[in-house]
Every structure is written in C-alpha cells, then in structure tokens.
Amino acid sequence: MSHSAAPIITVQQHILQDQQRFPGSSGEFSWLLSGITMATKLIQAKVRRAGLNDMLGAKGEINVQGEIQQKLDVYSNEVLIQCLSARESIGVLASEEDERPLLVHQGSEQARYAVVFDPLDGSSNIDVNVSVGTTFSILRRPEGVGLDDPQKWVLQPGAKQIAAGYVVYGSSTILVYSVGNGVHGFTLDPSVGAYILSHPNMRMPEQGKYYSVNEAYRDNFPPRYQQYLDRLRNGTLGHAYASRYIGSMVADFHRTLLKGGVFLYPPTAENPDGKLRLLYEANPVAFLAEQAGGTAIDGTRRVLDIQPESIHQRTPLVVGSRVELADFERFVLEPETPQAVASE
Ligand code: AHG
Ligand code: MN
Ligand code: MN
C-alpha cells in the first residue's frame, strides 16, 4: 500500500514550526496563538447558532465608536479576553469594543506581547446570515515601556506587527495568518474542531476582476477616487471590472486576497479618515496583503508606516493587487493637470 496522500497539518503544528523565527520564545508564542484559535472556535460556534439562541439583534448599548453593540459583538469580545488573558506572555489587550486597552498580568515581567483585535467585524451582517469575522494584530512590548503604560504598547506602526491575521465565519470558517513568513490559511473542520492547513503560501493575484467599495457614497469621494473607479470600469486596466461588496471588511478582503482586485474605503468630506480603524482593521489586512504580494495604502502613504496617535483612530484604506494599486498610485497621486483641476 502506498502512502502518497499529502500530510494533514494543523494550525498548532504550523505555529510550532513558525515559532523558530522567534528565538527564546520557548513555546509562549504558540500558546498565545492558541488563545486566538480557541476563542475563534467558540465565536464561530455561537455565530453558527445565532438564530437559535436569541443572540440576534442589537444589545442596545452604544460602544466607543458610537454604534449600537450587537450581542454577538459583546460575546466575542468577552471570549477573546477570557481566552487571551490566560496567557502569561500577554500584557495588554486592546479591542474595538473597549475604550481603553486592558492591562493583564499586572506586574508580570514575562508579559511581552500586546494583542489588538476587532472581535466581530461586519456585525451588522449577522442578522442576514452574511459572512462576518475577527481580525487581530500582535505587537511586542517596546523596549523600555513599562506595564503601567498600555497605550505605548499598542501605539506602534503596523510595520512592527510580529503577527496578524483574521478568521472569516463564512460558508466555512477559515483562519488566515502570517508571522512575516508568508500567508497561510487553515479551514476549520467542525466535526473535529481543528483548523487544518488548506491554503499554504497564499499569494494575491497580480491583477483581479473586481473592485469592492460602497458605491452609494461615490458622490462624496474625492474626484480622483471617482475617476479611478471609472478607469476600472471602462477598461483602462485591460478589462472592465465587475463589483463585489459584502460590507464585512474581513470577507471583502478575503475575496480580494484569493481573487485579486482592489478594496477601497475612501475618505469623504464628512469622514476624511473613512470608517475603518487603523490598529485592528487596516493594519492586520495591510500586513497580510504585503506578505501575499499585494499593496495597502491610506490613499497616499503605506498603511504599515502610519504612526498611530490613538487606539481607535480611523484611516482610509486602499488595498489589493499590485496592478490595481500601481495604477491608483500613478493616477490618483500624480500631480493634477490644469485640466483636471478645472473640471473638479
Ligand atoms: P464593525 O462591524 O466591526 O463595526 O465593522 C464594520 C465595517 C467593515 O466591516 C465594513 O467594511 C464597513 O463597516 C462597511 O461600512 P459601510 O456600511 O459604510 O460600507
Ligand atoms: Mn470592524
Ligand atoms: Mn467589530
């Protein structure tokens, strides 16, 4: 009998291999990530039963962003905090749902990582059975910063992330993550509760077929963004683009990672920084995009170079394939011609 089938690799095995990139971490990094895999399994189980156990609908509390918190937002946040605060190596947790970062293991000098997360992204889609997700970013405690200053742990540019990823609770549950060594995807086998390597070394196609943006706001985008969307539609980049927009960033990005193309959340006059949050939405996605051969900018700058000033700060986001982003940078950032200025 031959044994030619591909080996089955779980996320834990994969992390143990990746861990060799962090000398001296002796298991603590895989223990940390297992907190995330555990929490996201619990969240997905609840999401899968959302219509059954009265978890649907708004909880009625307003979160720090001024939006109505959904019950599942609250549950997901609690589960992540419960799972991650059991890890001694984590000193600080920061979440979309909490105004301030949470200090855990106060006094423990072993604590040297911060985890920043959006516990449930796209939560307005829950009520209609559309994909939602969790995004996370892991940072190392900066040299010389004490346990009494959790803000400083997390206000670091995205380029300093040592790992980042997301989980999409879609038609299947998939975990996608990177420790700076390529991007790998693990599909949850719900019958055994294990994330199994299904997408090794993910690469974003050089160019795609779709653009992804909330087109209802188009009239409020800067004129150059509007013209860029016209270029995508009118074949300037070689073919006429179709559009896809789910309204869960994590799901829209996941499609862009697999199929290529471009996802945009542009600035508007009313919201000059767009809607998405830098630390736990744009940064993890930008890290993964670059690791997969794509590009992520805030309209002018590389997302990963932005020095954050506050935990919940927003940023415009343009992320996607090399070809679409190169055209954006050429067309949108080039000095405006007198004609273009006249027509605006
Ligand atoms: P969250 O549910 O965490 O608040 O995030 C929702 C975000 C993001 O997932 C998505 O890309 C965006 O909201 C959609 O916003 P619009 O409805 O303005 O398009
Ligand atoms: Mn979100
Ligand atoms: Mn959220």
Side-chain angles (χ1 to χ4, degrees), residues 34-344:
S34 75
I36 291 173
T37 57
M38 183 68 209
T40 57
K41 284 178 200 174
L42 291 166
I43 295 168
Q44 75 87 32
K46 197 66 107 180
V47 166
R48 302 283 173 224
R49 294 177 53 80
L52 297 172
N53 46 15
D54 194 33
M55 289 300 289
L56 280 178
K59 189 159 182 173
E61 286 165 25
I62 306 289
N63 70 6
V64 285
Q65 320 297 340
E67 298 149 358
I68 293 183
Q69 272 191 357
Q70 304 286 315
K71 286 180 180 178
L72 269 165
D73 284 341
V74 176
Y75 174 83
S76 306
N77 194 38
E78 282 167 3
V79 163
L80 274 156
I81 291 169
Q82 279 177 306
C83 288
L84 292 173
S85 56
R87 269 66 181 159
E88 279 259 303
S89 64
I90 300 176
V92 172
L93 295 173
S95 163
E96 180 188 44
E97 301 298 331
D98 296 312
E99 188 164 0
R100 288 172 213 289
L102 194 70
L103 195 62
V104 287
H105 304 123
Q106 195 147 15
S108 165
E109 273 306 320
Q110 279 174 17
R112 48 181 171 153
Y113 299 109
V115 185
V116 188
F117 51 87
D118 178 355
L120 205 64
D121 176 63
S123 51
S124 67
N125 273 327
I126 293 163
D127 289 1
V128 289
N129 287 58
V130 170
S131 299
V132 292
T134 297
T135 55
F136 61 91
S137 161
I138 303 175
L139 296 152
R140 209 189 293 275
R141 163 158 50 140
E143 205 66 32
V145 170
L147 292 158
D148 54 342
D149 200 351
Q151 294 257 0
K152 285 222 177 87
W153 287 51
V154 295
L155 296 183
Q156 304 187 54
K160 299 265 188 195
Q161 292 171 103
I162 57 167
Y166 60 80
V167 175
V168 183
Y169 314 110
S171 49
S172 62
T173 297
I174 186 166
L175 165 75
V176 175
Y177 93 107
S178 176
V179 294
N181 190 21
V183 179
H184 311 286
F186 301 80
T187 302
L188 183 71
D189 182 338
S191 60
V192 296
Y195 282 111
I196 308 286
L197 181 62
S198 52
H199 296 68
N201 294 311
M202 299 169 84
R203 301 297 298 168
M204 197 181 278
E206 292 276 286
Q207 187 174 5
K209 291 189 212 154
Y210 307 125
Y211 68 81
S212 185
V213 68
N214 191 333
E215 219 145 12
Y217 308 148
R218 182 193 156 100
D219 293 349
N220 300 320
F221 297 159
R224 282 282 166 137
Y225 278 76
Q226 299 186 30
Q227 292 154 11
Y228 176 69
L229 295 176
D230 292 340
R231 289 166 74 80
L232 295 172
R233 264 202 311 272
N234 69 20
T236 307
L237 273 71
H239 64 263
Y241 281 68
S243 88
R244 293 283 188 278
Y245 192 71
I246 296 165
S248 298
M249 180 205 68
V250 69
D252 280 313
F253 176 73
H254 186 61
R255 183 198 53 253
T256 307
L257 176 61
L258 289 170
K259 304 283 187 192
V262 55
F263 169 85
L264 309 96
Y265 206 108
T268 60
E270 208 171 300
N271 297 305
D273 293 323
K275 176 181 185 189
L276 300 175
R277 269 70 62 146
L278 173 61
L279 285 187
Y280 40 82
E281 292 180 322
N283 271 345
V285 150
F287 187 80
L288 294 168
E290 288 196 5
Q291 282 291 318
T295 308
I297 59 174
D298 73 348
T300 56
R301 293 172 291 177
R302 180 182 178 228
V303 168
L304 297 182
D305 285 337
I306 302 172
Q307 171 63 51
E309 318 232 295
S310 68
I311 291 185
H312 300 291
Q313 95 182 47
R314 298 173 193 266
T315 177
L317 178 65
V318 183
V319 57
S321 295
R322 214 184 45 75
V323 168
E324 284 84 346
L325 267 288
D327 187 68
F328 184 95
E329 288 178 320
R330 253 197 321 272
F331 176 73
V332 178
L333 305 182
E334 80 188 3
E336 296 188 3
T337 60
Q339 212 182 358
V341 172
S343 67
E344 278 163 16

